[in-house]
Every structure is written in C-alpha cells, then in structure tokens.
C-alpha cells in the first residue's frame, strides 16, 4: 500500500449527491491508493452504489470533487470518455450483449473505444478468459452460460482495457449462492495481482479476507473506516456494531 504522502489513485473530497429531495451522499471523504482494495459495506440505501456511479461519472455530483491520480475529474470541461478509459465498473447485472459471443462481448470496448486491432484484442481476451476458467466459453453466447460464468465474463470484459481502477458494485448479489464462490475467487486473484479496486459488497467474510480497508457507510457518510480486523471485529461506532450484529446473527460473518 502506498504511503499517505503519495498522490492517491482516487480521492473523494466532500462529495454530495441528491436525487430530488433525497440526500444520498452527504460529504463523502475517501482515499484509495494504488494496489489498495477498499470494500464499502453498509445497509441497502446507504449510498454505496451511488458512490461508485459518481466515481465512474455516470452520475454528476452536486458538491465536492473526485480526483483520479490528483486530477479533478469532476471539473467543468473534463473529457468524461477519456476518464472512463482509465477505469471500469462491473454491476450486479451482467449487461452482456445477448447477440454477441463471449469473445465479441469482451473485445468490443478495446476495439471500438481504444482502437486496438481485433487480433490483438482477441489474443488478450482469450488469455484473460483462460485465466478465469472461461477458455472453452469464448465462442458461446451469454444465454448458454451460468450466472457465475456470465459475471466472470463481465469482469474479464472490464479487464481488457487495463483499467487503473476497477469498481465492483455488488457483483455477487444477483447470483445463486452456489455460484458466488467462483466470482469471489476471480476478485481474490485480482487483489493478489495488485489491481486497485473499490467494491460495494454484502459479503462480509470476503471483505474481511480480501480488503486492505473496510468503509462502513451510513446515511450517505463514511461513518467508520479502517483495517478489516478493526472495523469488522471491534468497531468503534454503535451504528456499525448494530449492523454487524445483524450480519453475524444471519450467519454471514
């Protein structure tokens, strides 16, 4: 993990976001260093997904700023397409094009948005598909894949552009329980390889094992942040303790 004196890969300073009268993010401060894995936890509606969508510039923030490698990507006149070429986001819905093969799905972005030659894009895609157990699925269509395989393909698609930052939004929540493990294994492999990631997750055991830092969100704020052992085992905030006690009671930690 990079020291605090270095320029952060990602920094959120006082980020506010509201939808009509509903305040979703209320002064979010967050720093993510290169090669760091940060897990966002908290109850549904606490702002995790909105935070990720704001970082990817899918939502415009109302106040504050978001910096990528020290550059304000929420400033006026910013080239959002250029920013998005440096990061990738994977959602809980797979969003694969049903009329394209897996190989065509995962090579579309590098070919169309980054100008990579088809042969080069396909060689890299096949390498990634093989790395994550999908080598024999390259020519299949999404409907022929299980949910876990589709989500792994969606993650491979995100990796084909070599993102500096990978955002994962509850990527296991739409999966049957027996398929969750295979997707989490992919994310563990990415963490070991040094990928900088911010994940919104309900998988507390996974956050405990993989994250460098866990941030508990409550009512649009980062209420508590620290190493997994501290936040998940000995939280300082009463609201964090209440949330985790329900998770423990449900047998999910």
């Amino acid at each position: 993990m990079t020291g605090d004196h270095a320029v952060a890969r990602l920094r959120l300073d006082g980020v506010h976001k509201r939808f009509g009268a509903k305040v979703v993010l209320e002064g979010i401060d967050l720093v993510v260093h290169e090669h760091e894995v940060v897990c966002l936890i908290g109850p549904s509606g606490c702002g995790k997904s909105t935070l990720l969508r704001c970082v990817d510039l899918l939502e415009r923030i109302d106040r504050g700023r978001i910096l990528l490698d020290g550059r304000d990507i929420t400033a006026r006149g910013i080239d959002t397409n250029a920013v998005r070429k440096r990061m990738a986001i994977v959602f809980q819905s797979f969003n694969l094009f049903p009329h394209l093969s897996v190989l065509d799905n995962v090579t579309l972005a590098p070919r169309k948005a980054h100008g990579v030659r088809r042969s080069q894009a396909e060689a890299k895609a096949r390498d990634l598909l093989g790395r994550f157990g999908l080598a024999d699925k390259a020519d299949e269509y999404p409907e022929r894949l299980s949910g876990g395989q589709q989500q792994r393909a969606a993650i491979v698609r995100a990796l084909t552009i070599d993102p500096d930052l990978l955002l994962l939004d509850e990527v296991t929540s739409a999966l049957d329980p027996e398929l969750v493990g295979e997707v989490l294994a992919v994310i563990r492999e990415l963490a070991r390889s040094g990928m900088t990631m911010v994940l919104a997750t309900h998988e507390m055991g996974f956050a405990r094992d993989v994250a460098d830092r866990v941030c508990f969100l409550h009512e649009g704020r980062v209420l508590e942040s620290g190493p997994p052992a501290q936040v998940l085992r000995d939280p300082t905030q009463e609201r964090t303790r209440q949330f985790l006690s329900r998770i423990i009671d449900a047998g999910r930690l």
Side-chain angles (χ1 to χ4, degrees), residues 13 19 48 67 80 90 102 104 113 122 140 171 204 214 243:
D13 290 335
F19 295 104
K48 302 187 297 293
L67 291 84
T80 56
V90 182
V102 168
D104 286 340
E122 289 188 353
E140 297 280 7
V171 293
M204 296 300 123
V214 171
F243 171 77

Side-chain angles (χ1 to χ4, degrees), residues 111-129:
R111 289 192 293 110
K112 299 298 186 182
H114 294 253
V116 178
R117 293 193 310 273
R118 177 183 286 272
S119 59
Q120 184 180 349
E122 289 188 353
K124 178 168 186 173
R126 289 186 184 278
D127 180 64
L128 285 167
L129 289 168

